[in-house]
Amino acid sequence: MKTDTPPDPDHPPRVSARARRALLERHPWVTFVLPLGVYLLLTSLEPSAAEMPDGQTVVGAASYPAVYLAKITLTGAALWFVWPGLARFPLRVSPWAGLVGLVGAGIWIGLCELPVHRALAAIGLDRLASLGARTGYNPFERLAGLPVAWAWTFVTVRFAGLVLLVPVAEELFLRGFLMRFVSAADWTEQPIGSLSRAAVAAVVIYPLATHPAVEWPAALVWFALVTALAAKTRNLWDCIAAHAVTNLLLGTYVVLFGAWRLM
């Protein structure tokens, strides 16, 4: 008579992996929404620039690195959780992705370096100029009381979030979910890069809702450029790669020229 094999304590059944795949199949939106949702939720907990006055160092300014580290750790965990859903998109990248990322970085930096603050102030929109302003955390100033290695460690962590996590989380949501979701009821059947009036509206509204007001010109042009890339190649990984290239070049520019207000 055949008897049941007792469970092996050293090799427990992979129930959690099966349950995770089942959840992602039943609720496909989780793959596309969860990582960015976690990222934005924890971003809301970061201290603002107003909460860290100029000159505040070490103890008072150390909360930002701690919250940022927690943010990218949990966002990374969310991406690991949804990876089976993301893995359904073939991992391939075309040369267009690198070109768009390079051109996009130039556009973003160029438009963000325009004196938008002064232009808005000149027409009485001073408050709009500060709407959603980034923390602009300079670790070399804020952590001045610690060995410089601490500042470089934070820069490394910051780049990990900027280049490896944010492009995946944001492009998953915008190209993988939002643009398709607003276009058709059977959104999971819509190919990446499919354009409709609602999808174009989403590409306009999303960057305005998630970026500081002074970055709106750069954000609108950059997101339109990557949307054109998505429409051309129909490849989610092209969008992710272009985003990563832009962020890498932007981060390098920030560190080299001290433009911390852009991060």
Side-chain angles (χ1 to χ4, degrees), residues 8-224:
D8 183 350
D10 295 327
H11 300 85
R14 301 182 62 182
V15 176
S16 60
R18 291 199 299 270
R20 178 169 48 138
R21 290 191 182 91
L23 172 66
L24 297 177
E25 288 175 0
R26 284 198 309 271
H27 307 288
W29 62 269
V30 173
T31 293
F32 304 95
V33 176
L34 180 63
L36 187 64
V38 170
Y39 183 86
L40 293 179
L41 175 63
L42 292 172
T43 295
S44 69
L45 302 180
E46 292 177 353
S48 66
E51 294 170 329
M52 292 191 299
D54 291 341
Q56 187 183 87
T57 59
V58 189
V59 177
S63 59
Y64 179 81
V67 174
Y68 188 83
L69 179 59
K71 178 171 73 172
I72 68 164
T73 299
L74 293 176
T75 302
L79 284 170
W80 169 84
F81 182 83
V82 305
W83 190 259
L86 177 58
R88 295 181 178 181
F89 295 93
L91 181 53
R92 64 176 187 273
V93 177
S94 73
W96 286 105
L99 178 61
V100 168
L102 177 62
V103 172
I107 290 173
W108 190 282
I109 293 169
L111 291 178
C112 283
E113 289 292 26
L114 293 176
V116 178
H117 283 90
R118 290 200 294 271
L120 291 173
I123 57 176
L125 297 177
D126 307 66
R127 291 187 177 182
L128 181 60
S130 60
L131 180 63
R134 296 184 186 275
T135 303
Y137 186 92
N138 181 348
F140 299 102
E141 291 181 356
R142 299 291 187 170
L143 303 178
L146 297 174
V148 71
W150 284 92
W152 280 112
T153 298
F154 177 71
V155 169
T156 302
V157 172
R158 192 74 172 82
F159 267 73
L162 188 68
V163 178
L164 301 178
L165 298 183
V166 171
V168 183
E170 197 162 36
E171 296 302 330
L172 261 180
F173 176 76
L174 182 57
R175 320 294 171 185
F177 174 74
L178 185 60
M179 290 179 62
R180 297 195 292 166
F181 182 78
V182 300
S183 297
D186 58 341
W187 64 274
T188 57
E189 303 301 320
Q190 302 300 307
I192 298 294
S194 296
L195 293 181
S196 66
R197 291 182 180 178
V200 172
V203 173
V204 172
I205 295 172
Y206 174 82
L208 298 181
T210 57
H211 291 77
V214 294
E215 294 180 7
W216 284 353
L220 287 171
V221 175
W222 187 90
F223 277 91

